[in-house]
Amino acid sequence: MDDRDSRAVDDVRMRGFAQRHTVDAALAWLDAQLRPLRAETVALQKAASRVLASSVSSDVDVPGFDRATMDGYAVVAGSTEGAAAYTRVPLVVIGDSLPGRPFHGSIAIGQAVRIMTGAAMPRGADAVLPAEWADSETADARICALSSVSPGKHVGRVGEDIRRGTVLFESGRVLRPQDVGVLSSVGVAEVPVWCRPRVRLVVTGNELLPSGAQPHADRIVDANGPMLAALVQRDGGLVDFPGLVCDDQDAILGALQTAADVIVVSGGSSVGMEDLAPTLVAQHGDLAIHGIAMRPSSPTGLGRIGNRLVFLLPGNPVSCLCAYDFFAGRAIRALGGRTKTWPYRSIRARLARKISSPIGRLDYARVQLADGVVEPLAVGGASILSSTTRADGFVIVPADSEGFARGADVDVWLYA
Ligand code: AMP
Ligand code: MG
């Protein structure tokens, strides 16, 4: 047995798991649980960042009328033929067309209607002579064209923005601010969206002080609660985090049974004396996965209690982040109709130093990018949360790989 293998076995013994599930097996169990919760209808004003539950098409053309795209004069293009700075062509101004206040008559050759950007083109006009190409210093009702315009010039046609019947957005679209603008412009007042999963955070540990307190003596301040709340919000969940929970059976059971779609427990997820949650989930529900062949985060558990999906995340902050990203975040996104994939961009870049990893275990290596080259920071050290803030992202070494050689091209997932 080489050195790497013995280390892997020690890992297993130290954490007390009889066997560890592969990440793939854990994901397979999880994915079988995941489908979007249910749809609800929300007013457009509340729709930004929500996920469409069905596609939306336009019932109208935008614009619904031909309109000026510049301030100037609506004309019959033919009237301006031959016009130039020294060949001024006179036109008679017969009215005004303003946005929301159209000119109701029609115009003929030799006539013009003063028009502003966005106003409806008068009947008979087919071009806009921009104001800077018209000399209006003569009599009030006359201008001179100083340039010719071709038919269609500076005119926005019916439907040039959106054609009636066009599918604007497919189901699953996370609505951006500009999407909401487009929906409003076609007369949509409310949209069907997937309900946001309610996520109860159960942050356990007798050593913890609430966020906002000063660390003192042997007490540490909760890092995972605020981090998880931010992650859940990022993934579209509704955070319920009423406060820290003691390492006490009744307190934890009460929290596990709150009304929620997802329960995310931090701490006490392994097999030690204070690790109460796994047993409680097994007793009151189904602890489907406990112990995963990955580093960090091996003491992770996945299961259900009633309709709630339960994630038992290790208390070590890096493990907590990694296990959230692998499992809980994936579920929260999927329940809310989002894609399961990570909300991180990935780039391909060259490794400055090798990353080694035993066969049979997936590793989550924090890395920095310096001049486009990947510098590994840490694989172990799950308690060093600042390794994730110093890092630009992470590299995953799959379970079937012994790692990557120096100079290899690897995928780097960039923390958002
Ligand atoms: P546990 O998973 O409960 O055994 O905790 C593992 C390590 O993570 C211990 O050193 C804990 O003090 C620490 N830890 C647990 N919960 C948190 C938390 N919410 N914030 C920061 N550190 C924590
Ligand atoms: Mg603990």
Side-chain angles (χ1 to χ4, degrees):
M1 184 184 282
D2 75 19
D3 185 42
R4 212 172 27 238
D5 286 338
S6 67
R7 210 168 55 218
V9 170
D10 277 352
D11 269 3
V12 176
R13 280 207 204 103
M14 278 168 55
R15 298 207 168 95
F17 288 102
Q19 55 134 46
R20 290 188 291 174
H21 301 264
T22 63
V23 170
D24 286 348
L27 290 175
W29 177 84
L30 182 59
D31 284 354
Q33 318 296 310
L34 302 179
R35 62 194 60 80
L37 289 173
R38 61 196 165 275
E40 63 179 344
T41 300
V42 294
L44 199 58
Q45 283 74 5
K46 304 235 159 166
S49 306
R50 299 296 302 268
V51 187
L52 273 186
S54 55
S55 64
V56 180
S57 21
S58 177
D59 291 338
V60 298
D61 286 318
V62 178
F65 53 92
D66 288 347
R67 64 184 174 187
T69 61
M70 285 196 78
D71 292 345
Y73 296 89
V75 295
V76 180
S79 317
T80 65
E81 213 175 298
Y86 297 103
T87 321
R88 301 150 72 92
V89 172
L91 297 165
V92 179
V93 179
I94 60 168
D96 299 307
S97 182
L98 306 175
R101 298 197 194 290
F103 176 78
H104 290 292
S106 57
I107 76 173
I109 292 267
Q111 295 182 325
V113 164
R114 201 175 291 112
I115 195 162
M116 292 180 64
T117 305
M121 291 293 286
R123 231 171 313 122
D126 63 358
V128 172
L129 177 71
E132 52 270 38
W133 294 353
D135 184 353
S136 56
E137 278 171 29
T138 53
D140 223 19
R142 278 169 63 94
I143 56 157
C144 285
L146 307 178
S147 170
S148 64
V149 282
S150 49
K153 197 76 186 162
H154 307 307
V155 177
R157 290 277 172 218
V158 167
E160 72 162 6
D161 187 350
I162 297 161
R163 278 241 165 268
R164 187 205 311 215
T166 307
V167 175
L168 296 171
F169 305 110
E170 302 283 358
S171 171
R173 171 85 169 197
V174 181
L175 291 172
R176 305 172 181 169
Q178 61 266 44
D179 298 348
V180 172
V182 161
L183 288 165
S184 183
S185 73
V186 302
V188 167
E190 50 184 36
V191 282
V193 293
W194 294 115
C195 285
R196 300 173 66 183
R198 297 162 303 160
V199 182
R200 167 69 196 258
L201 299 182
V202 184
V203 178
T204 69
N206 290 337
E207 73 279 34
L208 298 178
L209 294 168
S211 180
Q214 289 299 306
H216 63 83
D218 62 346
R219 308 292 299 277
I220 61 169
V221 180
D222 171 28
N224 295 346
M227 177 176 72
L228 289 169
L231 288 164
V232 170
Q233 264 159 18
R234 177 197 72 185
D235 291 326
L238 290 168
V239 178
D240 174 19
F241 181 27
L244 299 172
V245 176
C246 290
D247 291 312
D248 168 85
Q249 194 149 317
D250 294 339
I252 295 174
L253 180 58
L256 288 174
Q257 290 175 328
T258 352
D261 301 301
V262 176
I263 309 270
V264 176
V265 180
S266 149
S269 67
S270 191
V271 292
M273 252 170 42
E274 301 263 76
D275 297 320
L276 305 166
T279 311
L280 289 170
V281 176
Q283 281 170 353
H284 295 268
D286 171 25
L287 181 63
I289 303 283
H290 193 209
I292 302 179
M294 64 193 295
R295 179 164 152 165
S297 313
S298 84
T300 294
L302 314 179
R304 304 195 69 102
I305 295 184
N307 290 329
R308 311 167 195 82
L309 268 177
V310 182
F311 296 88
L312 306 179
L313 311 184
N316 265 320
V318 181
S319 305
C320 183
L321 171 65
C322 170
Y324 175 89
D325 264 346
F326 264 87
F327 307 108
R330 180 184 185 89
I332 291 164
R333 287 191 298 276
L335 293 180
R338 293 168 192 249
T339 53
K340 290 178 189 146
T341 49
W342 277 324
Y344 299 130
R345 262 188 329 117
S346 79
I347 58 163
R348 225 167 147 71
R350 196 158 39 84
L351 260 186
R353 280 184 296 120
K354 74 169 180 184
I355 301 178
S356 38
S357 158
I359 294 277
R361 185 183 80 194
L362 176 148
D363 278 1
Y364 172 86
R366 277 81 72 206
V367 301
Q368 262 173 353
L369 277 175
D371 301 326
V373 177
V374 185
E375 182 66 41
L377 285 179
V379 174
S383 59
I384 311 299
L385 183 57
S386 66
S387 68
T388 62
T389 57
R390 279 181 282 117
D392 296 303
F394 58 90
V395 168
I396 298 298
V397 186
D400 61 4
S401 161
E402 293 192 297
F404 302 115
R406 173 168 179 267
D409 278 336
V410 292
D411 292 320
V412 180
W413 295 92
L414 299 171
Y415 288 126

